[in-house]
Amino acid sequence: MTPHLRTATLALAVLLAAAGCAKAEEPQSAPAAAGSAGQQVVQTPSGTAGPTCTLEQFGGTKFDLKTATVGFSQSEKEANPFRIAETKSIKDEAEKLGITNLKVTNAQSQFSKQITDVQQLIAQGVQLLVIAPLNSDGWEPVLQQAAAKKIPIITVDRKINAKACSDYLTFIGSDFYEQGKRAADRMIDALGGKGKVAILLGAPGNNVTTERTNGFKDRVKEKAPEITISFEQTGEFAREKGQQVTEQLIQSNPDINGIYAENDEMALGAVTALKGAGKEPGDIKIVSVDGTRSAVQGIADGWLHAVIESNPRFGPLAFETAQKFLNGDAIPDKVIISDRDYDTGNAKDSLGEAY
């Protein structure tokens, strides 16, 4: 087979696979390609829109990633699948690329500790920082120290409220507002556009909670005015807290029809509470965000209606972005990934792709 024919054949195969996976009503959320083991796919090609940053603009110096000291700051206790998968992805990709000096810290869900962790990484001479921020604000001390040493910072999963290309390089993550809208679409479908819904809010102080909430509410207001959001309380993105809040919910709002949980851990806590209250699968429709294996299994078992994915496998894209930056390429101020949906039609077959 000639090189041109081989290339054309491969391109055709990719197009056919994409056509088979994409959902016509939600083209922005095509599932990961077969064989990708759920790896992240960029929604918008790099550098096509919005502000960008180059190594020259940033004022940094090129270095070899393989021999560089790289720091990864994890924000939360690795007690849930998202954080476990996120850290594993960073470590695995570093090992795959031959990065021999990766320093990993965990703030144990304490913001003051995360600030100290990153300051210590800077003092230890890191040349690149990948940060999963606990909060979006309060990063000024770290950003000033990193900027003084021209250390590029890539934030993953959550944004830092600061200026790209000076305070940090770029953000890699999902469109959280869009996730909220898609969750609302699923809830509207589940309830037939009518009913009472509760929101299990994520932890306060970060853009994920704000955007997932706003996206959901705006979509419900736009598409289903007969759905009332009658209860809102934070479950802190934690399973135990989600269970506690749901126990209170079914006491104070026994006529609730649906629960929107802003992550899977809270949704699974809600399921435990519903089981304890004698509810049956499907009595109360639950829609969640993340895509953990336990939540996808929950769909297969009838307890969850749908899950909007939020892919935590940042390692390959984070290091690919860093290498492009070091090569002199223009990096967009945000790299938005494409997330899929899980529902009753694909949950059983998709368990192996969940995390």
Side-chain angles (χ1 to χ4, degrees):
M1 184 179 292
T2 67
H4 291 298
L5 182 56
R6 187 181 299 111
T7 301
T9 302
L10 178 59
L12 178 60
V14 170
L15 287 170
L16 289 173
C21 291
K23 297 182 179 180
E25 71 276 14
E26 292 171 354
Q28 79 283 357
S29 58
S36 68
Q39 295 300 332
Q40 293 175 338
V41 177
V42 178
Q43 185 181 111
T44 305
S46 298
T48 58
T52 60
C53 185
T54 65
L55 183 63
E56 183 179 2
Q57 288 174 299
F58 185 75
T61 303
K62 185 174 182 177
F63 55 84
D64 185 351
L65 260 182
K66 290 184 178 181
T67 59
T69 301
V70 178
F72 172 59
S73 170
Q74 178 58 275
S75 57
E76 297 177 350
K77 300 174 183 177
E78 291 180 16
N80 72 68
F82 187 97
R83 296 301 170 191
I84 293 170
E86 185 176 55
T87 298
K88 183 178 186 300
S89 178
I90 296 290
K91 289 181 176 179
D92 287 353
E93 188 66 14
E95 182 178 2
K96 177 182 175 182
L97 295 175
I99 297 172
T100 57
N101 196 7
L102 174 69
K103 296 181 180 294
V104 178
T105 63
N106 191 302
Q108 300 295 313
S109 304
Q110 300 172 44
F111 186 58
S112 60
K113 184 178 186 308
Q114 186 168 36
I115 294 295
T116 301
D117 286 346
V118 179
Q119 289 175 325
Q120 290 177 346
L121 288 171
I122 293 172
Q124 292 167 11
V126 296
Q127 293 163 274
L128 169 69
L129 279 165
V130 181
I131 300 176
L134 183 63
N135 294 339
S136 296
D137 293 311
W139 284 93
E140 288 79 10
V142 162
L143 299 178
Q144 290 170 7
Q145 292 177 28
K149 295 187 176 184
K150 296 298 179 182
I151 301 170
I153 295 174
I154 295 174
T155 71
V156 296
D157 176 44
R158 296 176 184 174
K159 296 177 182 177
I160 288 176
N161 290 328
K163 186 177 180 181
C165 204
S166 57
D167 296 325
Y168 69 101
L169 173 58
T170 189
F171 158 76
I172 302 175
S174 299
D175 184 333
F176 305 114
Y177 183 81
E178 187 67 26
Q179 287 177 341
K181 288 173 60 178
R182 288 163 56 196
D185 286 338
R186 294 294 186 162
M187 184 63 76
I188 292 167
D189 176 67
L191 299 183
K194 299 178 181 180
K196 294 183 178 181
V197 173
I199 302 179
L200 301 185
L201 300 165
N206 66 80
N207 69 298
V208 177
T209 296
T210 301
E211 292 176 28
R212 284 180 183 168
T213 303
N214 290 344
F216 186 86
K217 288 182 174 180
D218 289 350
R219 191 65 154 190
V220 167
K221 183 178 180 180
E222 174 193 0
K223 296 291 186 180
E226 293 186 72
I227 288 181
T228 302
I229 298 172
S230 57
F231 180 97
E232 294 179 55
Q233 190 169 323
T234 181
E236 301 286 350
F237 285 135
R239 187 179 302 201
E240 182 178 354
K241 185 71 172 177
Q243 178 182 342
Q244 293 171 356
V245 172
T246 304
E247 289 170 348
Q248 297 168 14
L249 163 67
I250 53 184
Q251 290 292 324
S252 62
N253 294 262
D255 57 345
I256 203 77
N257 305 114
I259 296 174
Y260 167 45
E262 293 187 341
N263 83 336
D264 286 349
E265 285 296 286
M266 294 189 295
L268 294 169
V271 169
T272 300
L274 295 180
K275 289 179 178 179
K279 300 292 185 181
E280 295 294 326
D283 283 353
I284 295 177
K285 306 300 183 184
I286 301 176
V287 176
S288 180
V289 183
D290 263 354
T292 67
R293 191 163 300 181
S294 294
V296 177
Q297 183 64 56
I299 298 174
D301 295 340
W303 284 101
L304 272 67
H305 177 72
V307 172
I308 310 303
E309 181 189 51
S310 197
N311 195 328
R313 304 174 181 95
F314 289 100
L317 192 52
F319 287 118
E320 177 188 335
T321 300
Q323 188 60 63
K324 286 181 177 179
F325 173 69
L326 294 172
N327 291 343
D329 294 353
I331 304 301
D333 65 336
K334 53 182 178 292
V335 180
I336 303 302
I337 61 174
S338 178
D339 297 313
R340 63 176 295 171
D341 291 1
Y342 295 98
D343 55 28
T344 55
N346 64 18
K348 289 182 181 179
D349 293 336
S350 300
L351 273 171
E353 299 170 24
Y355 56 89

